[in-house]
Amino acid sequence: LAKTTQPISMDSYEGQEVNITCSHNNIATNDYITWYQQFPSQGPRFIIQGYKTKVTNEVASLFIPADRKSSTLSLPRVSLSDTAVYYCLLNSYNNNDMRFGAGTRLTVKP
Amino acid sequence: DTAVSQTPKYLVTQMGNDKSIKCEQNLGHDTMYWYKQDSKKFLKIMFSYNNKELIINETVPNRFSPKSPDKAHLNLHINSLELGDSAVYFCASNRRERGHNEQFFGPGTRLTVL
């Protein structure tokens, strides 16, 4: 599986929009881009997944440019409870093998 | 109504002991996984089982062995525990679908080897 690179940490304030970018220069044709969220002392939780262009659900949006070499997770109007580690993953269309990177530690301040 | 449950939540034991961690999912999923999260918070997949077949086996010492009595359970047995085995172990499950990979994780088991 191709490697992903994302910032180690980010700070934000309540009510702001947060964008976390993930680089995956060697993404394969069959790879989907998936984001997970992990709170302290809990297991990761699926946020969103996409292949190209834009995907939106009730908690986030995922923007993927045409070359698919990067992706951006957008969290609208964050709150203190969004403080967590966010992982960007690539997983092949054909299987469920997932390789977690170091993740981005997001801290939301009041 | 817990979707993926693990027991115990905490496990403290001595080096050299043998221990097991249990995992159960009530989601009707056909694939279950074990992950290890070390002190640096890196999350690494250890095993996955699909219909009682091991389909992923990372470079994990053979002291670790997954056991699946049925589709709803995947237990992790660890023999001759070592200090480096101290970590949080997460169980997860999903339904294998092409193009969608949403894994549901359990709450984790914090293993401390003294």
Side-chain angles (χ1 to χ4, degrees):
Chain A
L1 291 175
K3 184 180 175 182
T4 60
T5 303
Q6 46 183 131
I8 294 174
S9 64
M10 292 181 68
D11 289 343
S12 182
Y13 291 92
E14 283 189 290
Q16 288 186 335
E17 178 184 76
V18 171
N19 296 311
I20 306 174
T21 297
C22 179
S23 297
H24 27 80
N25 291 320
N26 297 320
I27 188 170
T29 303
N30 286 344
D31 286 342
Y32 276 70
I33 301 155
T34 309
W35 286 79
Y36 278 77
Q37 174 192 57
Q38 186 178 24
F39 297 114
S41 302
Q42 294 187 25
R45 185 181 69 153
F46 175 92
I47 301 175
I48 198 166
Q49 184 180 60
Y51 184 80
K52 61 180 178 181
T53 63
K54 177 183 174 182
V55 180
T56 298
N57 62 22
E58 62 276 8
V59 298
S61 294
L62 179 59
F63 299 92
I64 306 168
D67 65 8
R68 303 200 330 122
K69 294 184 182 297
S70 67
S71 58
T72 299
L73 174 73
S74 181
L75 305 172
R77 296 180 300 281
V78 293
S79 63
L80 296 177
S81 62
D82 291 317
T83 294
V85 177
Y86 292 82
Y87 295 97
C88 166
L89 313 168
L90 302 179
N91 57 275
S92 171
Y93 180 81
N94 296 317
N95 66 53
N96 289 323
D97 189 6
M98 297 205 304
R99 309 296 170 102
F100 285 82
T104 297
R105 182 174 299 277
L106 173 66
T107 302
V108 180
K109 302 175 181 178
Chain B
D1 278 49
T2 305
V4 181
S5 60
Q6 298 177 224
T7 54
K9 187 169 178 61
Y10 299 97
L11 182 55
V12 181
T13 188
Q14 300 286 334
M15 269 198 313
N17 284 349
D18 302 337
K19 290 294 179 184
S20 295
I21 306 173
K22 295 185 177 180
C23 177
E24 177 181 2
Q25 55 94 5
N26 62 7
L27 299 167
H29 289 160
D30 57 10
T31 306
M32 296 183 70
Y33 308 80
W34 277 106
Y35 289 83
K36 177 182 180 181
Q37 188 166 42
D38 60 26
S39 57
K40 295 184 177 180
K41 304 300 182 184
F42 288 109
L43 198 62
K44 294 183 179 179
I45 190 167
M46 301 175 72
F47 303 103
S48 76
Y49 254 74
N50 174 262
N51 291 328
K52 296 193 176 183
E53 284 187 64
L54 182 65
I55 56 175
I56 299 175
N57 186 351
E58 294 295 293
T59 53
V60 173
N62 57 14
R63 298 182 295 103
F64 291 79
S65 57
K67 298 275 193 290
S68 180
D70 54 59
K71 283 174 59 174
H73 297 85
L74 183 65
N75 303 324
L76 182 65
H77 297 274
I78 316 171
N79 295 325
S80 302
L81 278 156
E82 300 177 358
L83 293 176
D85 298 333
S86 295
V88 181
Y89 293 84
F90 289 100
C91 176
S93 73
N94 73 342
R95 181 176 291 110
R96 286 173 65 90
E97 293 180 36
R98 288 193 167 194
H100 182 74
N101 179 9
E102 178 178 356
Q103 293 191 10
F104 293 78
F105 284 78
T109 296
R110 181 174 294 277
L111 171 65
T112 302
V113 182
L114 303 176

